[in-house]
Amino acid sequence: MGDMVTGGQLVARMLKKEGVRHIFTLSGLHVAPIYAGCVEEGIQVIDTRHEQAAAHAADAYARVTRGVGVAVVTAGPGVTDALTGVANAHAASSPMILLGGAAPIFNQSRGSLQEMEQVDLFHRISKWSDRIPTPELVPAYLAKAFRVALSGRPGPVFLELAWDVLCNAVDESTLQMPRSYRTDARQAPDPRKVDEAMALLKTAERPAIIAGSSVYWDGAWEALRRFAETAQIPVFLNGAGRGCLPGSHPLFFQHTRKDALSGADLVFVIGTPFDFRLNYGAEPTFSAESKIVQVDIDPVEVGRNRVVDVGIIADSYSALTAFADAAPKGKREAFLSQLRGREQKKLKDLEAWTKNDSVPIHHYRLAKDMSDVANGAGQDPVFIADGGNWVAMAAKVIELRQPGRWLDPGPLGCLGVGAPFAIASKVLHPERTHWIIQGDGSFGLNGMDFETALRFNLPMVCVVGNDAAWGQIRIPQVQMFGEDKSPGTLLKPTRYDKVVEALGGHGELVTEPAQIRPALERALASGTVACVNVMLDPEAPVKAGAMGYAV
């Protein structure tokens, strides 16, 4: 008879085998055997102040590593608190794994503490949801979880583990630990479809590329650059694709997307869906006459909402490499010059706002100062976007120099990711500076997790854009229904800097433009968790013509 090993120990061994070095949790006795196993295996347990934050942190961990992130939560309310984080990961195609505790099997259906049906909750918002019935099957179920989460279009998995499954021990000599349980093989495009796409490119005069998150997930930024340079095509980026072409690249465009897409005769849509961010592929964002080449790893996504002329099922790296190898050398000086002229004009218009000295402070002014400080000499900044108007406007100004330096919720638009995303990224990359672009509304969702960051000595700077309102909702609501029919949209001008100070961090209040840079520099130099609370003009989005909404 060999050594005995518990289900909790087997969980930890499988996590270590997959290369997981941290898990995120909020303590609960139902899952304590997993904690013990993680300590034995050298996996750091990072305990947050809310299970939603733990799930968000696991989501961010997956994004930063381009692997799996793991959250462990207790039964019942622990699982339901994490539900939103799983839904957000599902919408963003992020391969996080949620492990949820449960009452011991021998007490189930008897009214155990925190007992409820959990597995069914996740069927519509995960790639797989199941319960592990015995300790012996822990390795096999986790191997499948890793495989499912990372294959095809990535996404979350939920597994339930009862208390006795985690506590009971099995003879280690009888176990067969999984090996070679998943592949990292790429999915190459159909050569016929590549030929069709290149045939369209040969006759195109005004092509454009819109590239999204899968360019980052598939490590395809170099292939993207090579294709764009060979064919001389302007590139627009969204989602996690931001930064996959540096802002200084001559083929990177940011402020003329509508001009380019609506006037394009051919658009390559790479790894991003025709969802609300692209106006569902419809006019006026896209011309009805534009030819479309769509690349996606998920066949179901190809042709959704928009007729495509060439649909290619492949990962972004394989498709872009094939395009770069086959593309005819482009000569589009006049087209690119005209587009660059429009880009420069819009940048000049935007620049006037970034130098605005009005009080309250304009969003663009704050964003520009933050970008300049963050990108100072020797800095490698990561920006975490968590808010509405302030985030949307900052995204137009922030300079990104490398892939993987922009983290936002994704298409679900979930607020509250700020501190959790920054915690996960900082744990993995302590050498990078982390800047949270935080709305005053979103601060309230998981702001207590700045205490988590302080407890684990994870310095970061939270820049709160404070307009004392749910601005992205309030402005259109007032426009549509009037002031007297817009309840629930105002907040108090709260001193969030004092909240972070009370937790043990550094805080500063900024009310005038001249105060912004010195405050940001002091926050960065503090070497701790810092909050710079900046009072913004609630009407700035309207004044700058930057107001928008989606339903």
Side-chain angles (χ1 to χ4, degrees), residues 170-215:
V170 296
D171 187 344
E172 192 171 6
S173 66
T174 66
L175 290 172
Q176 287 189 337
M177 293 294 284
R179 50 191 296 270
S180 300
Y181 50 80
R182 64 181 183 86
T183 179
D184 60 358
R186 297 189 180 275
Q187 184 166 333
D190 185 333
R192 295 175 306 139
K193 296 299 178 182
V194 173
D195 290 344
E196 290 176 19
M198 294 303 102
L200 291 176
L201 181 57
K202 284 177 182 177
T203 61
E205 296 179 356
R206 302 176 309 281
I209 296 171
I210 173 74
S213 296
S214 74
V215 175

Side-chain angles (χ1 to χ4, degrees), residues 449-469:
D449 271 290
F450 288 115
E451 185 274 335
T452 304
L454 283 158
R455 193 161 19 99
F456 285 91
N457 190 26
L458 301 172
M460 58 188 64
V461 180
C462 172
V463 182
V464 176
N466 192 338
D467 62 358

Side-chain angles (χ1 to χ4, degrees), residues 138-151:
V138 166
Y141 270 68
L142 277 170
K144 180 179 177 181
F146 299 142
R147 185 167 61 250
V148 170
L150 289 163
S151 64

Side-chain angles (χ1 to χ4, degrees), residues 261-264 281-292 306-307 309:
L261 297 183
S262 63
E283 295 180 292
T285 304
F286 289 80
S287 168
E289 285 73 40
S290 295
K291 301 291 185 183
I292 303 292
R306 167 77 192 221
V307 172
D309 297 274

